[in-house]
Structures are given as structure tokens and as C-alpha cells.
């Protein structure tokens, strides 16, 4: 138990240190970009010096970046003000939408992104593991070859290309909507009608995301199961007369899950950012679409908040992978 406690404390400590480094890098990244943020806000090169100074003061850009050597308080700088704001969950005000906070914008977009990626992740994990297990069990047969061809095709296709193909197919063959989260101007008689309309808009982007992830999960699961089947303890189980189902359930599946757990946890972090292409193709109002519009508008506070959110998601996903890995294989936490 002591070894597991030390392992948990070590993993959490490294995760917190990584998040602090990410926060610092994320802050500095947008301070070294060229151009005057005050002029970028208004997109008007004819601004008077007084107007530029007022905008600079409003967005807190009039203070030193790291250490304030001019006043009696060295912490009266953009960096320490930014750290203090983060402790209050305050990510600032959007440059493009000056009456809206970045936290409010990211919160709404994140909910929409989770509507998209969570069903896709669940479906791709379940189907990928089942296909990989069946392909490994029937290695060399028609089922294995068909699953391999399908998975390699899905894994190799560019995400945006697959999204465009499904966009055309869904609209032309099934009459599905091509953009947005909900039908604009529709009069819904009940909450369930509205939910059904959202589901129609979600169908094609969710399918695209599922297919993108499915190929990777299937290939890794197949390779992992085949490797486990070659171990001596599997041969011993076969010699004892256990059926294939018993061997998979009692011996092979737990060990084959080790690389899958790592891949799933890492993908959970990266799919938040990976949704950018899918959301752009289907005009889904999530984190991806918000990030693209913030790049176009040079909305630095929104970009800073989005990058921070995505980076923290990856760090937390890696921490979850380490903890689950240690639970599945006690040798890791006791080492």
C-alpha cells in the first residue's frame, strides 16, 4: 500500500508541475506574437494614441510582462495578475466579443464538443475492442483480413476528407442537416423534439469521429491480443483444457488491455483538440469552431483559454492513464 501511495503522489505531483509549466508557456506564447493587441482588437489603423492607450489599459496590457521593477510591488505584472485570475477561474474578456467572458464562451463550446466526442469515443472503444478481439481470435481468416483492411482504410483517411464524404452522403441520401447544432428558426413543440433535432445534426459528425478512432483502436487491440496469446501462461491454460472464451475472459483480456488503456486515456485528451477538423466541416459550435474563429479574429484571450483547456485535458488524460495502468499492473506502482 505504501508503494501505491507513493506512486499516486508522484503521478499527481508531476501532473500539477506540468500544468504549471503549461500555464506559464501559454501565457508567454501570446506575449511574443508580433503586432499591437490594442490595434488588433479594433482592426482600425487610424486609432489615435489616446484610444490605443485606453484599450491597452482596459485589457491590462499596460503593465510589465513578468516582473514590475518600476513600482514597489514586483508582482504587479501581467503574469502574476494572470495567475491570480486563474485561481478565480477568470480567463479574461474576449477581444472580439468585448461583453463576454472567455470562460463563458469556452464553457458553452466545451459542452457542445462533449456532446460530439463522448458518444464517438464510447462507440469506437467498444467496436474497436470487439473487432480487434475477433480479428486476433480468427487470425489469418477472412474476418481478420476484412477487419484489417477496414481499419487501415479508416486510420489512413484524412479526418476532414472523411467528414466531407459523410457530409455529402448524409445530406444527399438521408436528408440530414449539413451544418449547425440545431435547425435555425424551427418551432419545437417539446423538449424531445428539440433533442431529436440535435441528434439529427450530431449523427454524421459522430459517425465520422467514430470511424476515425475505430481503426486505431481495432489495430492496437488486435496486436495486443495476438502478443498475449503467444505467452507461456496462455499455452498452459490451453493445456489445462480451458475453452477459448475462458482463456480470453480470465487470462488474455486483462493483459491485452494495458496498451489499450494508455491509448484510450491519451486519445480522450487529444480528441478535444482533434475535434477541430470535424467541427469545421460540419460547422458544429464547439471548441474547434471557436478556436478557428479566434485565430481568424486574433482573439488572443480566447485562444489562450482554449489552448490552456486543451493542454490541461491532455495532462489529466495522461494522469488517468498512469493511474489505471498502475491498477491493472501492480508491478508498475510497486516498482
Amino acid at each position: 500500500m505504501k508503494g501505491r501511495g507513493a506512486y499516486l503522489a508522484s503521478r499527481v505531483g508531476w501532473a500539477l508541475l506540468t500544468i504549471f509549466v503549461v500555464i506559464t508557456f501559454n501565457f508567454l506564447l501570446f506575449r511574443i506574437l508580433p503586432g499591437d493587441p490594442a490595434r488588433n482588437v479594433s482592426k482600425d489603423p487610424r486609432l489615435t494614441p489616446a484610444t490605443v492607450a485606453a484599450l491597452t489599459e482596459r485589457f491590462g496590457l499596460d503593465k510589465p510582462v513578468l516582473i514590475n521593477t518600476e513600482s514597489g510591488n514586483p508582482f504587479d505584472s501581467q503574469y502574476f495578475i494572470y495567475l491570480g485570475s486563474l485561481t478565480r477561474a477568470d480567463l479574461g474578456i474576449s477581444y472580439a466579443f468585448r461583453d463576454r467572458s472567455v470562460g463563458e464562451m469556452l464553457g458553452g463550446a466545451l459542452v457542445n464538443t462533449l456532446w460530439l466526442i463522448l458518444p464517438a469515443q464510447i462507440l469506437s472503444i467498444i467496436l474497436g475492442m470487439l473487432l480487434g478481439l475477433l480479428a486476433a481470435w480468427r487470425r489469418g481468416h477472412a474476418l481478420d483480413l476484412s477487419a484489417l483492411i477496414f481499419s487501415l482504410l479508416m486510420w489512413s483517411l484524412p479526418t476532414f476528407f472523411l467528414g466531407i464524404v459523410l457530409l455529402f452522403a448524409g445530406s444527399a441520401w438521408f436528408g440530414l442537416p449539413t451544418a449547425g447544432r440545431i435547425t435555425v428558426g424551427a418551432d419545437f413543440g417539446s423538449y424531445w423534439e428539440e433533442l431529436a433535432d440535435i441528434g439529427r445534426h450530431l449523427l454524421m459528425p459522430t459517425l465520422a469521429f467514430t470511424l476515425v478512432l475505430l481503426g486505431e483502436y481495432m489495430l492496437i487491440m488486435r496486436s495486443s491480443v495476438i502478443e498475449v496469446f503467444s505467452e507461456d501462461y496462455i499455452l498452459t491454460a490451453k493445456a489445462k483444457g480451458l475453452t477459448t472464451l475462458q482463456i480470453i475472459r480470465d487470462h488474455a483480456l486483462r493483459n491485452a488491455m494495458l496498451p489499450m488503456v494508455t491509448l484510450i486515456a491519451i486519445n480522450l485528451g487529444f480528441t478535444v483538440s482533434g475535434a477541430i477538423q470535424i467541427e469545421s466541416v460540419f460547422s458544429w459550435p464547439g471548441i474547434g469552431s471557436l478556436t478557428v474563429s479566434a485565430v481568424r479574429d486574433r482573439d488572443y484571450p480566447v485562444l489562450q483559454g482554449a489552448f490552456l483547456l486543451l493542454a490541461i485535458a491532455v495532462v489529466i488524460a495522461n494522469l488517468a492513464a498512469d493511474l489505471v495502468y498502475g491498477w491493472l499492473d501492480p508491478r508498475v506502482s510497486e516498482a
Side-chain angles (χ1 to χ4, degrees):
M1 294 299 293
K2 183 178 179 181
R4 291 194 174 187
Y7 176 78
L8 175 62
S10 172
R11 294 297 93 194
V12 173
W14 277 110
L16 293 176
L17 178 61
T18 304
I19 289 176
F20 176 75
V21 172
V22 166
I23 289 173
T24 302
F25 177 77
N26 190 48
F27 168 83
L28 295 174
L29 177 64
F30 293 94
R31 266 65 183 180
I32 63 177
L33 293 176
D36 186 348
R39 291 191 181 274
N40 290 336
V41 171
S42 64
K43 301 180 177 63
D44 188 352
R46 297 170 296 178
L47 284 176
T48 64
T51 305
V52 173
L55 287 172
T56 301
E57 182 179 358
R58 176 182 178 184
F59 291 106
L61 302 173
D62 57 328
K63 300 181 182 297
V65 175
L66 291 177
I67 303 295
N68 194 337
T69 58
E70 299 176 357
S71 67
N73 183 7
F75 302 112
D76 186 25
S77 65
Q78 295 182 40
Y79 177 61
F80 288 102
I81 292 175
Y82 175 65
L83 292 181
S85 299
L86 287 182
T87 61
R88 302 188 300 272
D90 180 9
L91 297 175
I93 302 297
S94 167
Y95 286 173
F97 303 92
R98 300 176 200 177
D99 59 339
R100 297 189 62 186
S101 69
V102 174
E104 176 189 351
M105 296 174 65
L106 288 176
L110 179 61
V111 171
N112 289 334
T113 295
L114 292 177
W115 271 85
L116 172 62
I117 66 173
L118 288 183
Q121 277 282 0
I122 294 172
L123 287 173
S124 60
I125 290 171
I126 294 175
L127 295 177
M129 289 177 58
L130 288 176
L131 279 177
L133 193 59
L134 290 174
W137 178 40
R138 305 294 295 173
R139 183 183 182 186
H141 292 73
L143 175 63
D144 181 30
L145 295 177
S146 301
L148 274 176
I149 293 173
F150 173 75
S151 299
L152 289 172
L153 178 62
M154 291 299 103
W155 200 8
S156 61
L157 280 178
T159 302
F160 70 90
F161 177 76
L162 179 61
I164 292 173
V165 171
L166 291 177
L167 177 68
F168 279 105
S171 59
W173 296 345
F174 304 105
L176 294 173
T178 59
R181 174 180 175 271
I182 200 169
T183 301
V184 178
D187 185 16
F188 301 111
S190 66
Y191 170 76
W192 297 109
E193 291 182 6
E194 181 180 354
L195 195 62
D197 186 70
I198 295 175
R200 292 180 70 249
H201 284 77
L202 265 176
L203 189 57
M204 284 296 110
T206 299
L207 178 60
F209 224 144
T210 301
L211 293 176
V212 167
L213 298 171
L214 176 61
E216 183 179 9
Y217 287 143
M218 181 269 164
L219 291 172
I220 297 301
M221 186 66 180
R222 175 186 180 275
S223 176
S224 181
V225 172
I226 288 176
E227 182 179 355
V228 169
F229 277 173
S230 65
E231 297 290 340
D232 291 339
Y233 62 87
I234 297 296
L235 297 177
T236 303
K238 290 180 179 179
K240 291 180 179 179
L242 297 180
T243 64
T244 302
L245 181 60
Q246 289 175 322
I247 293 173
I248 293 175
R249 183 191 62 197
D250 299 334
H251 300 282
L253 189 58
R254 184 184 180 96
N255 292 286
M257 281 296 297
L258 294 176
M260 282 295 296
V261 165
T262 304
L263 179 64
I264 290 170
I266 293 175
N267 271 347
L268 285 175
F270 280 112
T271 46
V272 178
S273 58
I276 291 177
Q277 296 185 55
I278 295 292
E279 290 182 2
S280 298
V281 171
F282 291 93
S283 300
W284 182 259
I287 292 290
S289 297
L290 182 62
T291 303
V292 171
S293 64
V295 171
R296 183 181 60 249
D297 298 333
R298 294 189 179 182
D299 197 343
Y300 293 156
V302 173
L303 280 175
Q304 187 171 262
F307 287 178
L308 180 61
L309 176 65
L310 301 179
I312 290 178
V314 173
V315 172
I316 293 177
N318 276 275
L319 173 63
D322 288 339
L323 297 181
V324 175
Y325 204 98
W327 174 71
L328 288 174
D329 189 353
R331 295 172 298 178
V332 175
S333 57
E334 293 173 0

